[in-house]
Amino acid sequence: MSGQSLTDRIAAAQHSMTGSAISKAVCKATTHEVSGPKKKHLDYLIHCTNELNVSIPHLADTLLERTASNSWIVVFKALITTHHLMMYGNDRLMQYLASRNTLFNLNNFLDKAALQGYNMSTFIRRYSCYLNEKAMSYRLAAMDFTKMKRGADGVMRTMNTEKLIKTLPIIQNQLDALLDFQPNSNELTNGVINTAFMLLFKDSIRLFAAYNEGIINMLEKYFDMKKNQCKEALEIYKTFLNRMTKLSEFLKVAERVGIDQGDSPDLTQAPSSLLEALEQHLASLEGRKLKDLSTATVNALVFLCVRPELQWSQLVEKKPTGGSGWQSKTMCTSTNWTHTTHPMAPAPMPVPQMVNQNTWKCPKVVFASGMQPSTHQMGGVPMMPAQTVMYNQPVLRPTNPFGPIPGTQMHFM
């Protein structure tokens, strides 16, 4: 089916007669034409969200009424229009949608009119669940994770520990709902679902950027947390690793349908020794017996516990070409742990090369008092030959169970 149906034209004429410009624009944005909503209608509705004399409840209710249609095309386009306004409209609309007890109730939606209706109904149900979760996230956190300030001084990087541990699971739930859309590239066969997928792709990049920055902030605070907070943080980090795998599959679909690869983040996994180091610290707080530490784990602990300010790279940067996509560097993506800072941050101190590109090596630790630590104090890891770069008196975390003997000084040689 192509072009507006007779029903669409009659409905638009009725709204013209009643003088409801918003209802007419919503009707035209959600026609039976198998293509995404037209830009001119979306732009007009975005403009309406910024007008103080426009009733936001009326606009939202008009969109919700269109989801009562039996046509998968109309319902899908109503969801797309709502999502578009959530992303680019005034926050007044998002606040109103988040304040409603119910938003979209399409869990049982099914268009039986044609075979394509059966297939698309599945994605309509998943899409409506994501939009419900997006509104719920705003209600719980009082912020839109896809619009927040990012970077070294961004919201997630500067959030305190207690709020961070409460906020990260909310982001996880929203990302889960997004990834549950689960299309295959051969199912993106028409302009309607393609438009929805593109909006979801943009949300996934921005949502993961906020998620990633929150995880980095949490790990930087991990060794200062209480035992119960460490437990929660460890579970959040394990969940994060699983989400990276699912997001990678989602982005592969985007790549196969021709979305610019430069818009996708680098999802290289952090080394497994990082997770082991976190588990070792929690075990020490709980008084459990510690396993012998691997070389990689000790290396991770040196960075996490001794000089945490040297470990993290800037996550997401706007494309220098001015494009709409985002380029992202995932935390701990390189085994050499080199340091890059936010463009506005002060120049860092020189960092010794702790590890090479192929193998993890533990740095030699020498105590200024002349005392040499026994092998069990460093997990039985053999020492490297002394290097040329030295740091005096690094910051030692009091809760670090793997630190040197109290009262001594420590140098990286």
Side-chain angles (χ1 to χ4, degrees):
M1 182 183 300
S2 62
Q4 296 184 32
S5 67
L6 180 60
T7 304
D8 296 328
R9 296 179 186 276
I10 293 174
Q14 289 174 340
H15 293 309
S16 296
M17 293 177 64
T18 59
S20 178
I22 290 179
S23 297
K24 181 180 178 180
V26 170
C27 181
K28 284 184 171 293
T30 57
T31 63
H32 288 77
E33 187 176 2
V34 187
S35 63
K38 292 183 179 179
K39 184 177 183 300
K40 62 180 180 180
H41 303 312
L42 294 175
D43 289 345
Y44 175 76
L45 292 173
I46 290 174
H47 171 74
C48 289
T49 65
N50 292 309
E51 292 294 323
L52 296 179
N53 60 343
V54 170
S55 172
I56 294 297
H58 172 63
L59 171 58
D61 290 343
T62 304
L63 288 167
L64 292 173
E65 287 172 7
R66 296 297 282 175
T67 63
S69 172
N70 293 324
S71 169
W72 72 267
I73 305 172
V74 174
V75 175
F76 218 151
K77 291 173 77 170
L79 296 176
I80 291 170
T81 303
T82 304
H83 191 184
H84 192 88
L85 296 181
M86 284 179 164
M87 293 174 67
Y88 303 111
N90 192 284
D91 279 350
R92 292 193 302 150
L93 176 66
M94 192 66 169
Q95 290 167 4
Y96 176 75
L97 295 175
S99 69
R100 293 176 61 100
N101 291 328
T102 59
L103 192 53
F104 299 111
N105 186 17
L106 298 171
N107 292 334
N108 298 318
F109 177 82
L110 182 62
D111 184 349
K112 301 179 181 179
L115 178 61
Q116 191 176 29
Y118 277 94
N119 296 333
M120 292 297 106
S121 294
T122 300
F123 293 107
I124 286 174
R125 294 192 293 270
R126 296 172 182 174
Y127 194 25
S128 65
C129 287
Y130 169 68
L131 296 182
N132 286 340
E133 193 63 44
K134 184 179 176 73
M136 180 57 70
S137 294
Y138 191 95
R139 182 175 184 174
L140 295 175
M143 66 180 77
D144 187 342
F145 298 118
T146 64
K147 295 181 180 179
M148 62 171 47
K149 181 180 180 181
R150 290 185 285 271
D153 58 345
V155 176
M156 297 305 297
R157 290 298 299 273
T158 57
M159 191 174 289
N160 63 54
T161 301
E162 184 177 353
K163 187 175 181 180
L164 188 64
I165 289 178
K166 292 180 179 178
T167 302
L168 283 172
I170 299 174
I171 300 180
Q172 288 174 343
N173 291 337
Q174 184 177 339
L175 185 60
D176 284 345
L178 187 153
L179 298 177
D180 283 344
F181 192 70
Q182 290 182 330
N184 295 320
S185 56
N186 56 5
E187 292 173 317
L188 302 176
T189 56
N190 61 73
V192 180
I193 190 173
N194 289 349
T195 303
F197 182 75
M198 191 64 193
L199 293 177
L200 289 171
F201 172 78
K202 291 178 180 179
D203 263 11
S204 70
I205 299 300
R206 297 168 184 172
L207 191 59
F208 180 75
Y211 190 19
N212 199 21
E213 289 190 351
I215 292 294
I216 288 176
N217 186 14
M218 182 187 74
L219 293 178
E220 289 177 343
K221 292 178 167 61
Y222 184 80
F223 286 89
D224 289 331
M225 292 181 184
K226 300 175 182 177
K227 181 172 67 175
N228 289 339
Q229 291 176 328
C230 283
K231 283 184 179 180
E232 294 182 70
L234 183 59
E235 290 304 313
I236 289 172
Y237 181 67
K238 289 179 179 179
T239 304
F240 170 77
L241 297 179
N242 293 332
R243 297 305 179 276
M244 287 180 65
T245 302
K246 293 180 66 175
L247 180 61
S248 178
E249 294 298 321
F250 182 86
L251 297 179
K252 286 179 182 177
V253 176
E255 181 180 339
R256 285 194 288 268
V257 298
I259 296 178
D260 184 7
Q261 296 183 32
D263 292 345
S264 302
D266 177 10
L267 296 179
T268 307
Q269 289 278 4
S272 58
S273 57
L274 176 57
L275 177 59
E276 185 181 350
L278 302 180
E279 291 173 336
Q280 291 282 1
H281 177 64
L282 178 59
S284 71
L285 294 180
E286 294 177 337
R288 291 187 278 117
K289 183 178 179 180
L290 302 181
K291 300 182 296 183
D292 289 338
L293 298 181
S294 65
T295 305
T297 302
V298 173
N299 209 1
L301 283 167
V302 169
F303 274 92
L304 280 171
C305 307
V306 179
R307 298 195 65 81
E309 73 278 9
L310 300 180
Q311 63 182 308
W312 307 116
S313 62
Q314 173 64 15
L315 300 180
V316 180
E317 299 173 350
K318 195 71 173 176
K319 292 182 67 176
T321 57
S324 60
W326 293 86
Q327 290 180 323
S328 175
K329 295 180 181 178
T330 305
M331 48 154 291
C332 306
T333 57
S334 175
T335 54
N336 63 3
W337 295 70
T338 53
H339 176 64
T340 39
T341 61
H342 187 274
M344 299 302 295
M349 296 171 60
V351 182
Q353 188 68 23
M354 301 291 290
V355 265
N356 60 35
Q357 294 289 342
N358 301 315
T359 59
W360 288 79
K361 297 290 187 180
C362 180
K364 182 175 181 180
V365 180
V366 180
F367 289 85
S369 61
M371 299 171 57
Q372 292 297 324
S374 60
T375 56
H376 72 271
Q377 289 174 324
M378 289 300 293
V381 179
M383 300 302 177
M384 291 175 58
Q387 304 297 317
T388 56
V389 182
M390 175 181 294
Y391 284 112
N392 291 320
Q393 298 180 333
V395 179
L396 297 178
R397 300 288 185 181
T399 58
N400 174 17
F402 307 100
I405 300 172
T408 61
Q409 296 180 346
M410 180 172 141
H411 303 284
F412 287 112
M413 300 295 290

